[in-house]
Amino acid sequence: MGETSTWGPARLLVLIVVSGLVALAVLAGLVLAVVGALTAEQRDGAGAAPRPAAPATDLSQQDALAAAPMPTADPDTALPGPLSNRAGGVLEVPRATGVGPADVPTGFPRTPEGALAQLAAIDVTAMQTGSMDGVRQVIAEWAAADGPTPQTWSGAHGMASLLSAAGLSGAGSPQLAIVVRPLMGLIKGTVGEEFAVVCVNFEFTVTVEETSRIAIADCQRMAWAGDRWVIGAGAEPAPAPSVWPGTDAALDAGWRELRHG
């Protein structure tokens, strides 16, 4: 594996940012309400009539919400840093009530907090597989029609870069351990009850002979599809800053501590 110093936090930051793991989960974007209905029908084999597509005004609002700029931060703030003494905001998120396709926790309610919890579950499950097959299985089950695929998903590209840099095959290795913890979040906004742009700030830990940690943020457009939240098709929302959870920089960027209700 080479010198252990090459796996210090600074190199891991460059590796993750350049490879696309900052996005972690998906290239998500514009979602039509009908996509959710059609996706559910294809999965369940049901013959119910699809719902009408979202009005053009709703789609314009979704685009505007997703494209609105987010706060920025220096890359160094993604590395572990001093915790703040300030009392930050708290965001209560629901717990999963079951396990869905690709072993992703699910059963979250049709609320913005439910959308955030589902995105966190998708990201955590995919990246902790530590393998190409694992991330591909997750996105194949949790992307809406015309959304990211196992070939185009940023999470798959990021995992490929990580495994390549570690000198590993697509199957990963027992020597590689990836732990992803969703610690902070924010709800950027909603359009109706079935569309939300949500963001999660993760503590991302990679161990290859030694351990390095970094904060990685993921913002996505989430759409309600029948009975669950999925990641939709289209342009990725403006990125949120990847800032070490619990620091002054994280609080200044609007991140709130996640607590399970």
Side-chain angles (χ1 to χ4, degrees):
M1 297 303 299
E3 298 179 2
T4 56
S5 61
T6 62
W7 285 97
R11 182 171 185 269
L12 187 59
L13 171 64
V14 174
L15 170 65
I16 293 175
V17 172
V18 173
S19 68
L21 281 177
V22 165
L24 262 186
V26 295
L27 297 173
L30 184 62
V31 179
L32 300 176
V34 69
V35 169
L38 292 175
T39 302
E41 289 169 6
Q42 292 171 354
R43 183 177 66 253
D44 300 333
R51 293 170 293 176
T57 53
D58 284 353
L59 299 182
S60 298
Q61 292 174 7
Q62 292 171 8
D63 279 339
L65 174 61
M70 301 288 288
T72 59
D74 292 334
D76 287 348
T77 61
L79 301 176
L83 299 180
S84 176
N85 290 324
R86 295 154 51 192
V90 174
L91 186 61
E92 290 197 4
V93 293
R95 296 183 182 274
T97 60
V99 178
D103 293 327
V104 174
T106 190
F108 302 105
R110 192 178 64 171
T111 63
E113 294 80 6
L116 189 150
Q118 186 65 79
L119 174 60
I122 293 169
D123 286 357
V124 169
T125 303
M127 302 315 296
Q128 287 189 166
T129 65
S131 70
M132 294 304 301
D133 185 60
V135 296
R136 288 168 178 159
Q137 287 186 32
V138 170
I139 195 58
E141 296 288 352
W142 289 92
D146 297 324
T149 70
Q151 290 73 42
T152 64
W153 184 34
S154 61
H157 289 295
M159 181 62 73
S161 296
L162 177 60
L163 295 176
S164 297
L168 301 175
S169 71
S173 168
Q175 294 180 319
L176 172 67
I178 302 174
V179 179
V180 183
R181 299 175 63 205
L183 297 182
M184 304 191 85
L186 63 87
I187 297 169
K188 189 176 182 182
T190 63
V191 178
E193 296 182 348
E194 299 187 343
F195 179 88
V197 177
V198 298
C199 307
V200 185
N201 196 25
F202 298 91
E203 178 189 278
F204 198 95
T205 303
V206 175
T207 300
V208 183
E209 297 184 359
E210 70 174 35
T211 297
S212 296
R213 293 182 176 87
I214 190 172
I216 300 177
D218 185 27
C219 279
Q220 301 298 341
R221 310 189 196 198
M222 302 295 289
W224 184 256
D227 61 355
R228 60 174 177 158
W229 290 101
V230 298
I231 303 173
E236 185 178 4
S242 297
V243 183
W244 189 251
T247 60
D248 282 326
L251 299 182
D252 292 342
W255 290 110
R256 299 165 63 186
E257 178 186 351
L258 296 182
R259 291 184 186 173
H260 290 285

